[in-house]
Amino acid sequence: MSTETMPDSFLIHSGIKIVYANSTFCTLVGADSQEQLIGTSLTGLVEPDYHSPLREQVARIENEDVPVLGLAVELQTNTDQPQHAIVVSLLIEWDGTKQVQTSVFPIADSDSEGRRQLDYQAMDEAPIGITIADPAKLDDPLIYVNDGFCELTGYPRDEILGQNCRFLQGENTREEPVAKMRAAIEAEEPVTVELRNYRKDGSMFWNRVTLIPIQSESGTVTHYLGYQQDITAEKRYEKDLSLFKGLAEEAERAILITDPEGTIEYVNPAFEHLTGYTAAEARGRNPRILKSGQQDELFYRELWETITAEEVWEAELTNRTKHGEIFEVKQKIVPITDSDGDITHFVAIEQDITEKVLTTQTLDVMNRVLRHNLRNSLNVIDGHAELLEAGELDPEARQASVAAIREQTASMQKIAEKTAEIRAIWDPTEDNQSWGRLNIASLVETYQRQYPDADITSTIEDEMVDIQVRNRKLFMKAIDEAVENAISHNDQTPPEVTITVQRKPDSDQFRITVADNGPGIPELERQAIELGKETPLNHGLSIDLWIMEWLTTTLGGELIITDNEPRGSVIMFQLPTGGSNGE
């Protein structure tokens, strides 16, 4: 805790051993320096009659029996005049440990009428309102108010002294906090309430009032010390936040709110639906629970530097759900500041754009297929048809033209079949959220029967023989595509295909790899998949890889393409198993 935020006269102590005393307190008790007091006993600063109640006050604070306690004492000073004071103790964080802070408010003996006056030099500088009430007098009148209280309420001191503090109440002051204060006073206990009060000009403000009973050595309450703090801006923020949350509950986009350190305080239902985390699971954690690993540390460092500089951050990124499924989002993070310009919260709004990304990719790829592949096939067919129509070909050339036409027809037929597969990915009747079990060993046996001329082997971890997958039908279609591609484009005899299934370390995800000994996948096609889009320089000649990519993305997984050794390619499907990653 910084000394700049503390009252003018105070000490810090562990038990009753003083570890710090500020200069104002040193002057009050006549100490030459702080060093003179550090290490000495707190009880050595008060008259013997107050040793026991002071020890009890400190013990109750350290045990956290109560948040704050006050006591009227007589200080020992280097003068012959007794110095009465009010000491208020509370628990604080000091140099990384819990210590007791005791603030000291001096009191001087009074005038000829016996009225006790306060030496307010130490309190008038305080940035909050401070009051002292005398319960020995009728209606607990205020006998002291500091300059901060006058500034807060707009009343001059001579209009305040002698009144009960209820003069600040008005038509919209609720009875509940007033009754709570009244009950605490009757029970002689400290209390903090928040209520509507009114200034001299009639304007309303929210007041956080803390009342602390001050006891004599005999245990009698001699005064009530009050702290008054204007929390109107805080209440306005709470109201705005409540309205925001009301709207957020109905929003279609995922919304989360964090504190300045990035700890989640609120998520809306759309966030729960998108990520799989309930509000209870998300609160108190960091948004890094959504990290997919597809953005590097530099990405997140730039994000944090941007928003802590009070600038809005926007980007598209890949996140991961509670169950390990990846999804694409467009995210905006807005820093929220208070009236002093300090950041109080961050609000993040996420729009799921997975379907939009897939749609864009599909349109780009289909445009290329229809514009390039089909056009080429039609040109070949048309050319050979003209040759056949002319009737000038010898039997061998005629046979070659017929074969070319059939080859291009088969190619077009295959494109049509692939188009049907693409429709299956987007078919709204498909239940992409249903989970089912699949025996991988049986699936491998099916491939061995389906492709008897290929050498198909497998390596399956024992626990992964029988796995739980989302949308079993689409999952099998993705693996089918990889196996068919590994065999049909293979230039070796026999084609060799190895299927490996293993759990990804430290996660609820598994990896299925399909490795072959063929010519490998062209670099341009791999780059197009890695970029997530086709360009004039990066495009494929087929749509097989894109179908595998789309199927994997639809299932919440990731497709990774690498080289096989000594030749060939490896297609890896990294997919969730249906469990929680617990992050």
Side-chain angles (χ1 to χ4, degrees):
M1 187 171 182
S2 170
T3 57
E4 283 98 359
T5 63
M6 293 187 173
D8 279 359
S9 183
F10 69 92
L11 310 94
I12 305 296
H13 48 96
S14 177
I16 59 170
K17 182 179 179 180
I18 299 173
V19 298
Y20 177 85
N22 75 342
S23 57
T24 306
F25 181 79
C26 292
T27 301
L28 179 66
V29 297
D32 295 332
S33 65
Q34 298 176 16
E35 288 71 22
Q36 184 180 342
L37 296 177
I38 293 174
T40 63
S41 172
L42 181 64
T43 55
L45 300 175
V46 300
E47 294 296 328
D49 290 344
Y50 301 95
H51 287 185
S52 179
L54 184 57
R55 287 178 181 274
E56 181 182 353
Q57 174 168 302
V58 172
R60 292 186 66 191
I61 292 297
E62 288 190 321
N63 292 335
E64 300 186 43
D65 296 336
V66 288
V68 62
L69 281 176
L71 178 68
V73 302
E74 186 175 329
L75 297 175
Q76 289 188 349
T77 67
N78 58 358
T79 68
D80 295 333
Q81 296 295 324
Q83 177 63 71
H84 293 91
I86 293 172
V87 293
V88 179
S89 301
L90 69 158
L91 206 61
I92 66 165
E93 192 81 15
W94 179 267
D95 286 343
T97 61
K98 288 186 177 181
Q99 305 283 10
V100 179
Q101 170 198 320
T102 294
S103 305
V104 182
F105 302 99
I107 303 172
D109 284 333
S110 61
D111 54 21
S112 58
E113 297 180 0
R115 180 178 179 180
R116 180 172 286 179
Q117 300 292 330
L118 295 175
D119 178 357
Y120 52 80
Q121 290 181 352
M123 293 190 285
D124 273 343
E125 301 295 330
I128 61 174
I130 299 177
T131 62
I132 299 285
D134 188 350
K137 292 183 168 53
L138 182 65
D139 203 26
D140 301 340
L142 298 175
I143 61 172
Y144 166 80
V145 296
N146 74 337
D147 292 343
F149 184 82
C150 296
E151 183 179 346
L152 173 65
T153 64
Y155 285 93
R157 187 173 277 103
D158 59 0
E159 291 185 26
I160 299 173
L161 296 177
Q163 291 200 68
N164 185 287
C165 208
R166 75 172 68 90
F167 75 92
L168 295 176
Q169 296 174 23
E171 58 179 350
N172 289 323
T173 302
R174 294 175 61 242
E175 175 59 28
E176 182 180 349
V178 176
K180 184 178 179 180
M181 278 196 298
R182 190 182 304 120
I185 291 172
E186 292 176 357
E188 299 183 347
E189 296 176 346
V191 65
T192 298
V193 299
E194 296 175 356
L195 73 167
R196 292 183 179 91
N197 277 168
Y198 293 83
R199 299 183 178 89
K200 182 178 174 65
D201 63 7
S203 60
M204 189 276 292
F205 69 99
W206 277 96
N207 195 1
R208 179 180 289 140
V209 180
T210 298
L211 296 179
I212 304 167
I214 307 302
Q215 297 180 338
S216 66
E217 70 275 15
S218 63
T220 302
V221 175
T222 62
H223 299 85
Y224 276 97
L225 177 64
Y227 294 102
Q228 323 258 343
Q229 184 179 5
D230 185 355
I231 58 168
T232 306
E234 183 179 324
K235 281 291 185 179
R236 185 179 296 117
Y237 167 77
E238 290 178 357
K239 181 180 179 181
D240 291 344
L241 182 60
S242 178
L243 290 172
F244 172 79
K245 287 181 177 179
L247 295 173
E249 293 293 305
E250 304 299 325
E252 294 182 358
R253 298 184 180 184
I255 297 174
L256 67 151
I257 300 174
T258 77
D259 67 11
E261 284 69 47
T263 301
I264 297 173
E265 294 184 347
Y266 167 82
V267 300
N268 71 340
F271 177 93
E272 295 179 293
H273 177 74
L274 176 62
T275 69
Y277 289 97
T278 65
E281 290 171 328
R283 279 194 297 268
R285 304 172 79 175
N286 189 284
R288 69 173 62 96
I289 59 176
L290 303 178
K291 286 180 66 173
S292 65
Q294 296 197 22
Q295 290 80 222
D296 59 20
E297 289 304 316
L298 177 61
F299 176 90
Y300 291 105
R301 185 162 62 249
E302 291 177 347
L303 181 162
W304 186 249
E305 290 174 353
T306 299
I307 62 177
T308 53
E310 301 180 18
E311 298 178 11
V312 176
W313 180 86
E314 291 186 80
E316 293 183 2
L317 67 155
T318 304
N319 279 342
R320 194 179 298 278
T321 71
K322 172 184 175 181
H323 299 293
E325 302 154 287
I326 62 172
F327 60 100
E328 306 291 329
V329 294
K330 182 176 183 179
Q331 186 178 65
K332 175 187 286 189
I333 301 179
V334 182
I336 306 299
T337 58
D338 59 18
S339 57
D340 296 325
D342 296 325
I343 294 175
T344 61
H345 294 83
F346 295 110
V347 176
I349 303 171
E350 292 189 349
Q351 179 185 4
D352 184 1
I353 59 170
T354 305
E355 186 171 325
K356 177 183 176 182
V357 170
L358 290 176
T359 300
T360 302
Q361 290 175 350
T362 303
L363 291 175
D364 288 345
V365 172
M366 293 310 296
N367 176 59
R368 184 261 301 166
V369 169
L370 294 174
R371 183 168 47 84
H372 182 272
N373 297 45
L374 290 183
R375 183 179 60 190
N376 287 351
S377 294
L378 289 174
N379 287 340
V380 171
I381 292 173
D382 186 55
H384 284 284
E386 288 182 0
L387 292 175
L388 292 172
E389 187 177 28
E392 298 177 356
L393 298 177
D394 57 44
E396 185 177 347
R398 174 184 288 273
Q399 194 64 33
S401 290
V402 171
I405 291 174
R406 286 177 175 171
E407 181 182 350
Q408 295 302 319
T409 302
S411 176
M412 295 175 66
Q413 178 64 31
K414 186 173 182 180
I415 291 175
E417 292 173 356
K418 296 297 182 182
T419 303
E421 289 187 23
I422 294 172
R423 287 190 59 189
I425 298 173
W426 297 107
D427 189 347
T429 63
E430 291 281 0
D431 185 5
N432 289 339
Q433 299 304 319
S434 64
W435 292 81
R437 304 206 71 82
L438 177 66
N439 188 282
I440 298 296
S442 297
L443 183 62
V444 172
E445 291 175 0
T446 300
Y447 291 141
Q448 290 170 339
R449 291 192 298 269
Q450 185 176 351
Y451 302 102
D453 295 332
D455 182 9
I456 300 177
T457 58
S458 64
T459 302
I460 305 173
E461 291 183 353
D462 291 341
E463 62 175 316
M464 303 307 295
V465 171
D466 195 40
I467 59 176
Q468 187 177 15
V469 296
R470 182 158 71 90
N471 198 321
R472 187 172 180 270
K473 183 177 179 181
L474 284 186
F475 173 80
M476 292 179 62
K477 192 181 295 292
I479 308 302
D480 289 349
E481 194 73 34
V483 173
E484 179 187 354
N485 193 65
I487 294 173
S488 62
H489 296 290
N490 203 309
D491 58 357
Q492 299 295 300
T493 304
E496 295 178 2
V497 178
T498 301
I499 300 173
T500 304
V501 187
Q502 60 184 166
R503 179 177 291 275
K504 182 183 177 183
D506 302 321
S507 73
D508 284 323
Q509 292 183 302
F510 67 93
R511 293 168 172 168
I512 291 187
T513 60
V514 179
D516 64 62
N517 64 336
I521 296 173
E523 184 63 24
L524 289 179
E525 294 199 30
R526 288 173 53 172
Q527 289 179 359
I529 298 296
E530 291 169 359
L531 287 172
K533 61 182 179 180
E534 293 202 340
T535 67
L537 295 179
N538 293 301
H539 61 82
L541 298 177
S542 68
I543 59 175
D544 298 342
L545 284 179
W546 279 113
I547 289 178
M548 285 184 256
E549 167 73 9
W550 297 331
L551 285 166
T552 310
T553 301
T554 301
L555 294 170
E558 182 180 358
L559 183 71
I560 302 170
I561 304 171
T562 58
D563 291 324
N564 197 13
E565 294 297 338
R567 76 189 306 266
S569 59
V570 178
I571 302 292
M572 177 188 292
F573 301 91
Q574 188 165 283
L575 296 160
T577 61
S580 169
N581 63 12
E583 293 296 318

